[in-house]
């Protein structure tokens, strides 16, 4: 028998949210609403959809692996040099490339937990140890994260705003953390939900790149731009760090359609603004409703809310699925009494609240 790498014995399969098709088939439903995967309820940017359709006649051609037009657009948006940018097949691949480029056997990586599971997956799959700091739904100080950094630490992962809690760290907190750790530690700040953040002290991380050579900023087109199905991620960092990333990047990972759609989406300010307003209004409405039911709702800077339901959280998730509503139970994140709910359209949010009301009253 061909033996896999020993590191794989430490890994668990990724647990995705359930799909609409899965719930339809399981319960014989025709109408199902999904508020589980933090997708954009308005769909993809209309400009991105138009650009996607226009590329159909050239799908037989390989994409340019260096994606010059997309890199140019990102560089212009953030005021950074093109040599400070790398792209990937979703931000998941960016995380994977960081592992391949910087994480060695015997190293360790640290992260605020609970958080996105791919950080741990990448760490363990590259033969390093994963150290999670924090538990439950309260905000963990970055000083606590800095305290576990040692001579074997290679990467510190900070999801900001954090998935699944929605909590965030300010520029002051990030700066203080950076000052406490060695320059040899890559600080990976994942800003998948940054475009939704409204807090006055939420950091503009790209402005800190010149100040901190070990800062790494990860972003995605999956969330506010609505391109989750096309898989486009990108990162910004010091030129030496980005150069290492390009060396292990697959040559044709970001396809033609994804590249042109991402460029168009960057310029679609109407779609971004409409999404932000929908998110703010829906977040306020759902927070009020769930607090009215007596549940604790965490303050959020993302396009979702994290709600403490209690020991019957799994029961609520099952009840909702049987009635055509998908939300995310958080047992796989280490929060078995919590659920994460993506902010949807008004009618979707209202449908959810009606179902929860029935469950509470029953």
């Amino acid at each position: 028998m061909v033996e896999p790498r020993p590191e794989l014995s430490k890994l668990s399969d990724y647990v995705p949210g359930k799909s609409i098709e899965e719930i339809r088939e399981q319960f014989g439903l025709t109408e199902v609403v999904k508020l589980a995967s933090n997708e954009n309820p308005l769909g993809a940017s209309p400009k991105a959809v138009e650009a996607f359709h226009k590329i159909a006649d050239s799908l037989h051609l390989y994409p340019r692996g260096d994606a010059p037009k997309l890199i140019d657009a990102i560089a212009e948006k953030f005021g950074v040099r093109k040599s400070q940018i790398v792209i990937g097949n979703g931000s998941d691949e960016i995380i994977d490339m960081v592992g391949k480029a910087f994480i060695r056997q015997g190293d360790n990586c640290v992260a605020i937990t609970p958080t996105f599971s791919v950080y741990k997956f990448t760490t363990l799959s590259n033969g390093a140890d994963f150290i999670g700091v924090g538990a439950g739904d309260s905000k963990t100080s970055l000083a606590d994260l800095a305290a576990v950094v040692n001579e074997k630490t290679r990467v510190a992962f900070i999801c900001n705003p954090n998935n699944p809690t929605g909590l965030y760290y300010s520029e002051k907190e990030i700066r203080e953390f950076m000052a406490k750790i060695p320059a040899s530690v890559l600080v990976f700040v994942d800003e998948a939900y940054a475009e939704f953040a409204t807090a006055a002290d939420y950091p503009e991380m790209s402005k800190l790149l010149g100040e901190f050579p070990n800062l790494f900023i990860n972003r995605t087109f999956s969330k506010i731009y609505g391109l989750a199905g096309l898989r486009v991620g990108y990162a910004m960092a010091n030129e030496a760090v980005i150069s290492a990333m390009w060396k292990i990047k697959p040559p044709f990972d970001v396809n033609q359609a994804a590249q042109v759609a991402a460029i168009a989406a960057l310029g679609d300010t109407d779609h971004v603004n409409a999404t932000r307003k929908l998110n703010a209004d829906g977040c306020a409405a759902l927070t009020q409703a769930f607090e009215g039911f007596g549940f604790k709702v965490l303050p959020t800077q993302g396009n979702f809310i994290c709600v403490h339901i209690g020991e019957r959280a799994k029961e609520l998730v099952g009840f909702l699925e049987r009635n055509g509503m998908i939300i995310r139970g958080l047992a796989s994140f280490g929060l078995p009494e919590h659920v994460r709910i993506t902010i949807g359209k008004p009618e979707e949010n209202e449908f959810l609240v009606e179902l929860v009301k029935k469950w509470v009253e029953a």
Side-chain angles (χ1 to χ4, degrees):
M1 176 180 176
V2 179
E3 294 290 339
R5 291 169 51 206
E7 291 85 2
L8 270 61
S9 65
K10 300 179 181 179
L11 303 180
S12 300
D13 291 341
Y14 177 73
V15 181
K18 293 184 179 179
S19 69
I20 291 175
E21 292 77 10
E22 183 179 356
I23 296 300
R24 279 177 180 162
E25 293 174 2
Q26 184 176 355
F27 298 111
L29 302 171
T30 55
E31 296 296 326
V32 177
V33 174
K34 182 183 178 184
L35 299 179
S37 298
N38 302 340
E39 296 150 335
N40 190 326
L42 294 181
S45 151
K47 290 184 178 180
V49 173
E50 181 181 2
F52 178 90
H53 286 185
K54 288 181 178 179
I55 203 71
D57 290 338
S58 58
L59 295 182
H60 61 294
L61 301 174
Y62 283 103
R64 283 194 60 171
D66 57 347
K69 293 181 180 179
L70 177 54
I71 297 263
D72 284 347
I74 296 170
E76 181 179 355
K77 177 177 177 61
F78 290 96
V80 300
R81 293 183 293 277
K82 292 183 286 185
S83 55
Q84 292 180 284
I85 301 168
V86 69
I87 61 170
N89 187 243
S91 60
D92 290 356
E93 186 179 55
I94 298 289
I95 300 169
D96 181 63
M97 289 193 291
V98 165
K100 291 176 179 176
F102 298 106
I103 301 175
R104 306 165 301 194
Q105 284 195 351
D107 289 336
N108 68 59
C109 297
V110 302
I112 295 290
T113 51
T115 195
F116 188 38
S117 63
V118 176
Y119 310 144
K120 182 177 182 179
F121 176 90
T122 295
T123 299
L124 297 179
S125 64
N126 284 281
D129 294 323
F130 182 82
I131 302 173
V133 179
D137 61 11
S138 60
K139 181 177 175 179
T140 301
S141 170
L142 289 181
D144 293 341
L145 186 65
V148 300
V149 171
N150 58 38
E151 68 279 358
K152 292 186 177 182
T153 305
R154 293 289 282 171
V155 182
F157 291 102
I158 303 172
C159 191
N160 197 38
N162 185 46
N163 174 22
T165 61
L167 303 174
Y168 80 101
Y169 295 98
S170 67
E171 180 175 327
K172 180 176 182 292
E173 290 171 305
I174 297 286
R175 283 182 174 277
E176 290 175 350
F177 174 77
M178 299 290 296
K180 291 177 180 177
I181 66 168
S184 59
V185 176
L186 187 71
V187 179
F188 185 106
V189 180
D190 195 338
E191 294 193 316
Y193 302 95
E195 289 91 353
F196 294 100
T198 58
D201 58 349
Y202 184 81
E204 293 187 44
M205 295 301 299
S206 60
K207 294 183 178 179
L208 304 183
L209 287 172
E211 189 174 344
F212 299 106
N214 58 330
L215 175 62
F216 189 99
I217 305 167
N218 187 47
R219 287 209 171 201
T220 182
F221 283 89
S222 294
K223 304 305 179 183
I224 202 162
Y225 296 112
L227 302 184
L230 285 181
R231 317 304 303 126
V232 195
Y234 63 101
M236 298 172 283
N238 175 275
E239 290 170 330
V241 171
I242 294 299
S243 177
M245 296 283 286
W246 278 100
K247 288 180 180 179
I248 49 84
K249 175 187 172 297
F252 304 117
D253 54 341
V254 183
N255 65 69
Q256 276 200 70
Q259 290 185 32
V260 298
I263 294 168
L266 275 178
D268 197 345
T269 55
D270 289 344
H271 183 69
V272 168
N273 291 337
T275 301
R276 283 175 175 156
K277 185 179 187 309
L278 183 81
N279 188 71
D281 294 346
C283 184
L286 284 180
T287 297
Q288 181 180 23
F290 275 87
E291 288 180 342
F293 292 135
F295 300 126
K296 174 186 173 183
V297 181
L298 274 62
T300 182
Q301 292 294 310
N303 66 336
F304 56 88
I305 57 172
C306 181
V307 186
H308 180 247
I309 300 297
E311 60 184 14
R312 297 176 65 191
K314 184 177 180 180
E315 178 188 325
L316 172 61
V317 172
F319 171 83
L320 292 175
E321 289 176 355
R322 292 192 299 274
N323 287 276
M325 170 61 66
I326 310 172
I327 64 172
R328 185 68 185 266
L330 296 180
S332 64
F333 285 84
L335 294 172
E337 296 190 350
H338 295 68
V339 298
R340 189 191 67 197
I341 302 167
T342 306
I343 308 303
K345 296 177 182 177
E347 61 272 21
E348 294 171 332
N349 298 335
E350 290 169 7
F351 178 47
L352 169 65
V353 171
E354 289 173 3
L355 288 176
V356 175
K357 182 180 179 181
K358 289 180 181 179
W359 180 77
V360 169
E361 291 176 346

